[in-house]
Amino acid sequence: MAGTRANPLEEGLGIRRKPDPCALVIFGASGDLTQRKLFPALYALAYRRLLPERFAVVGVARTEQSTSEFEALMKAAVKSYARDPFVQGVWDRLSGGLRYVPADFADENAEDELDRVVGELEASRGLGGNRVYYLAIPPQAFETSVQEIGERQDHDGWTRVIVEKPFGHDASSAQRLSDVLHRWFREEQIFRIDHYLGKETVQNMLALRFANGIFEPVWNRQFIDHVQITVAESIGIEGRAAFYESAGAIRDVFQNHLLQLLALTAMEPPIDFTADAVRTEKVKALRSLHTPGPKSVVRGQYGPGWVEAQEVRGYREEDGVANGSLTETFIAAKLYVDNWRWADTPFYVRAGKRLARRETTIAIQFQRAPHPPFEAIAGDGLRPNVLLIHVQPDEGVSLAIGAKVPGAGMTIRTVHMDFLYGGAFREGLPEAYERLILDAMLGDATLFTREDEVDEQWKLVDAIVGPWQRDRPTFPSYAAGTWGPRAADELLHRDGRSWRRH
Ligand code: BG6
């Protein structure tokens, strides 16, 4: 348009390779994930014409319902949860290839009907036999489903399998799942989801570190005092007691999302951005993690309290939770990455439910200026520089620097240089699942966790929870709506540090 200059930063947005024609088969399609995340993501992709021209989706679950009933549900889900306005034409394009097959995945015969439906779609829509299976199913159904899919690879085209978390419960169960998968599939066909890797801000960590010359030279123990990673949620367990009781914060969030954030912060530069190069560097960082002693780990459980002006129940009062439950809803730890880059630099990490606010951040705190001549006159004390990555919400990056307060004298105050996604790019941020579904269709596994990564993550968790069997923590240990138990603050105070101010 005359007079308006295009935003140069928008260049490249939305320009991606289109995947091959394919069918996406979702096992466990009647679950919450399909409604809240998968269909809204598929709709967003359809809206931007990023899906292949020839495409089909098949929902599979135990619930008895027809394709039109399923379609109505998914349409309602898209209307409630999608980030784009509802456009009938877009929905028609997506739903034209939508089918539902009621089936018990543990029942071997159920697959025949699924085969028939997928085969028919492939023939009528010209899908070339390419299939992405999305497994969002309970662990007990896993083996049979994988076997059924694996045995039926005699069709044309490629087969890929996306596996939702949780991927196992500990190192040995995760290994068993990988073994089952490897009976039928090569590692390149397996896409283990950690949806944090699909978040734009998480990927931006790689851009920030490796596309800018100024950060990498100071990204080490000589310049960085410590790192803080926070994955705070204000929500509780949202009716997922059965799962959460056996998982707790350590298996639900620490093992995957939190450790992935740590790995991206600590990893060495990869030689290129291929899936294997990136993941190999992450594995090395994870492998360098020193097992923290019991004094370096704090777990907690929320009691009743107030969150965002609403009175909420304690964890033990949630439906489906045992009265005396010892499941942790909060974990904090001091971790060390034992290598040349990071030796003696603590990574303080914490994750919890029913905390004061939803906030995921990575804070890189630099060393103090060696000889601050202004100290005596600094306004709020000359604070060290902090590079703060706001993973969510208010996505962006900010750098805390000391600046002179205008006027006479030399008073220094901390100010922030901010980059906010909302301001720099006009396009709204895609949801993690959009990127991940698309990448799996493209066969790009960079943002999925490889077998050895998952293994390292579980080994650390196993080592931490080992001693937990022997003692009984006093729970609840923090009121809902606070920043966790006092012991988490003490963990840092002992080192003369404190959690970032909120
Ligand atoms: C999931 C956990 O993996 O991540 C949930 O199982 C958690 O307990 C969720 O609430 C957080 O995801 P997000 O994208 O809302 O930060």
Side-chain angles (χ1 to χ4, degrees), residues 10 110 120 130 175 210 225 242 300 386 410:
E10 277 189 326
E120 200 180 275
N130 300 322
Q175 190 55 59
F210 306 129
D225 178 72
V386 177
M410 195 60 172

Side-chain angles (χ1 to χ4, degrees), residues 165 195-196 199 233 235 240 252 257 353 358 392:
K165 73 182 270 273
H195 78 279
Y196 266 56
K199 291 184 191 272
E233 296 187 87
I235 55 170
R240 294 157 76 217
D252 186 36
H257 310 327
K353 297 257 184 218
R358 175 171 185 253
Q392 63 189 24

Side-chain angles (χ1 to χ4, degrees), residues 343-377:
D344 304 324
T345 313
F347 283 68
Y348 300 101
V349 301
R350 58 181 166 166
K353 297 257 184 218
R354 284 284 188 234
L355 298 180
R357 230 192 7 254
R358 175 171 185 253
E359 176 188 307
T360 300
T361 49
I362 302 171
I364 316 290
Q365 175 150 340
F366 290 89
Q367 316 263 10
R368 286 181 180 283
H371 172 66
F374 312 112
E375 204 161 45
I377 50 172

Side-chain angles (χ1 to χ4, degrees), residues 27 104-112 114-115 133 142-153 184-185:
F27 280 62
D104 184 346
F105 346 103
D107 167 9
E108 297 182 11
N109 300 323
E111 293 284 328
D112 294 340
L114 177 60
D115 250 5
Y133 290 94
F142 192 82
E143 187 158 354
T144 329
S145 307
V146 171
Q147 178 175 344
E148 295 295 325
I149 299 165
E151 280 175 350
R152 287 172 161 76
Q153 286 189 84
W184 309 100
F185 304 105

Side-chain angles (χ1 to χ4, degrees), residues 118-158:
V118 176
E120 200 180 275
L121 281 167
E122 284 173 343
S124 65
R125 301 179 75 85
L127 305 181
N130 300 322
R131 299 181 188 175
V132 182
Y133 290 94
Y134 198 119
L135 301 184
I137 50 176
Q140 49 297 7
F142 192 82
E143 187 158 354
T144 329
S145 307
V146 171
Q147 178 175 344
E148 295 295 325
I149 299 165
E151 280 175 350
R152 287 172 161 76
Q153 286 189 84
D154 51 358
H155 52 87
D156 294 339
W158 45 253

Side-chain angles (χ1 to χ4, degrees), residues 269-280:
I271 48 166
D272 55 33
F273 278 98
T274 54
D276 271 330
V278 172
R279 298 189 295 179
T280 297

Side-chain angles (χ1 to χ4, degrees), residues 288-310:
S288 320
L289 280 172
H290 187 83
T291 304
K295 286 210 177 80
S296 296
V297 180
V298 172
R299 53 186 160 141
Q301 185 192 72
Y302 63 85
W306 289 79
V307 179
E308 288 157 359
Q310 292 232 326

